Structures are given as structure tokens and as C-alpha cells.
Amino acid sequence: MKSAKVNRFFEWIMNLALLNFLWILLSLPVITVFAASAGLCRVIQQHRNEMDREGIMSLYWKSFVRQLLPATCLGLVMMLLLLIVIANFSFANQFAAIVWLYAVLMAWSIFVGSVYISLLLFIFPVLALQEQGVSAAIKTAFLLGLQKLPHSLAMAGILTGILLAYYFIPVFIPIIGISLLAFLVVEYTDKTVRSGNHASTMEISAS
């Protein structure tokens, strides 16, 4: 029994390593990083560690091709929203001399930034799992992000801690760095959807 668990753990690690390699390979053109991320989320959600490596490669490629256009558009939208978040903080800093106004604007900027972080956690898993349009994915992810904002920020803190660990142990990045983060995000999204009774909106069709 113990040996089976150990074997399953190492199989899981090997699958993560393969997914990480495929993500890096498909992200090399840079602009395809969003489709590679959406495809990664779909493969993880569908099969976790229960799929043979040949099946993983086939599903990843199909998911990548399917998500290429919508995920790229969504990624560009998220970059635009990031610029808006940054602009909010920059605008608030211009009123640093007026304490009360600065406090109000900074509080608003922090709130907007927090919502953006929460949205960022959900957006690609939602797009990959629902396989719907960009606007519908943004709406669903936004509602989930608002509903679970404190939990999402806590999850973001955990992911930040892992990124800091990568800084001190960078060897993990090319091995399982991205796929591990994606696994945690997909797991968090699934649990959030189930706890929030949104399961019906997140059903996916078999490929």
C-alpha cells in the first residue's frame, strides 16, 4: 500500500515535469504563453495524475490549438487591466500631499489590485474548463473572484511564497515550476466552484 502511494507520487511528479516542459516549449514564441497556460489548466483539471504521458501530450496539443485565439485575446485583456491597476496607483501617488484624498485613492487602488489578483487566479482555469467566450470567462472569473476575495488573496500569498522558494532554489523552475503552480490554481478553482455551488457552470465536455 505504501509502495503504491510512493509510485503514484513519483508518477505525479513525472507528469508535472512533462507538463512543465510542454508549457515551456509551447510558450517559446512568447505570444502563445496564454494559450499554453490555458491548455495546461485543462490537462491538469481533466486528468490530474491519472493519465499516461502519451495521452497528456495529445490532449495538451489539442487544448493548446483550441485555446490559441481566445486565450491570447484574454491574455491581452488581462495585460490591459494590469496597466489600469498600475495607473490607479500612479494616480493616487500624485496626491500624496493631500493626506485624506491620498488615503481614499490608495484604498481604492488596493481594492482594485486585490480584485485583479483574484481575477487572475481564476481566469485561465475558467476559460479552459468552460470553453466559452472571453467575455463570459471574464464575467464568471470576476464573480468568483469577488465572492472568494479573502481566500483568493490567501492563495495568492501561498503562490508568492512558492515563487520566493523558486528564487532561492531556481532548479525547480525548469522541472516543475510552472506546472506545480498551475496544479495548485486548478485545485483551488475546482474547490471554490464546488463550495460556491457553481459546478453546473464549470462542466466540461470530453475531448
Side-chain angles (χ1 to χ4, degrees):
M1 185 68 175
K2 186 174 181 180
S3 176
K5 289 183 178 180
V6 172
N7 290 338
R8 188 170 181 176
F9 172 77
F10 280 107
E11 183 70 18
W12 177 69
I13 293 294
M14 291 299 295
N15 286 343
L16 284 183
L18 174 59
L19 287 172
N20 204 75
F21 171 76
L22 292 174
W23 183 88
I24 293 173
L25 185 64
L26 293 175
S27 299
L28 286 179
V30 180
I31 189 63
T32 58
V33 65
F34 307 114
S37 300
L40 177 60
C41 290
R42 180 164 177 81
V43 174
I44 290 174
Q45 198 280 338
Q46 276 199 280
H47 294 283
R48 302 299 200 278
N49 60 333
E50 299 175 1
M51 191 177 187
D52 62 275
R53 295 188 185 93
E54 183 178 352
I56 285 178
M57 295 177 67
S58 175
L59 177 60
Y60 201 155
W61 174 250
K62 291 178 181 178
S63 299
F64 171 79
V65 172
R66 187 182 300 126
Q67 296 291 344
L68 186 57
L69 180 59
T72 301
C73 293
L74 183 58
L76 295 176
V77 170
M78 293 303 296
M79 292 179 66
L80 176 61
L81 293 177
L82 177 60
L83 292 177
I84 294 174
V85 171
I86 294 173
N88 269 295
F89 281 99
S90 178
F91 181 74
N93 284 329
Q94 294 181 14
F95 296 89
I98 309 174
V99 177
W100 70 270
L101 183 57
Y102 174 74
V104 171
L105 293 175
M106 187 56 67
W108 169 253
S109 299
I110 292 173
F111 172 74
V112 172
S114 299
V115 172
Y116 177 83
I117 291 173
S118 186
L119 174 64
L120 189 61
L121 282 177
F122 288 113
I123 195 66
F124 285 107
V126 166
L127 177 70
L129 307 185
Q130 288 189 309
E131 292 194 327
Q132 56 180 289
V134 172
S135 59
I138 292 176
K139 179 181 178 182
T140 301
F142 178 74
L143 293 176
L144 285 172
L146 279 181
Q147 182 185 13
K148 300 293 182 178
L149 185 57
H151 300 85
S152 297
L153 294 179
M155 184 63 190
I158 293 173
L159 297 177
T160 301
I162 295 175
L163 290 174
L164 288 175
Y166 289 167
Y167 177 79
F168 293 103
I169 316 176
V171 68
F172 283 115
I173 298 176
I175 301 175
I176 60 170
I178 302 300
S179 57
L180 177 59
L181 293 175
F183 178 84
L184 294 175
V185 169
V186 170
E187 285 288 317
Y188 172 69
T189 300
D190 280 356
K191 291 180 180 179
T192 300
V193 169
R194 287 196 296 268
S195 66
N197 297 320
H198 293 284
S200 62
T201 66
M202 298 292 290
E203 293 177 352
I204 59 175
S205 58
S207 60

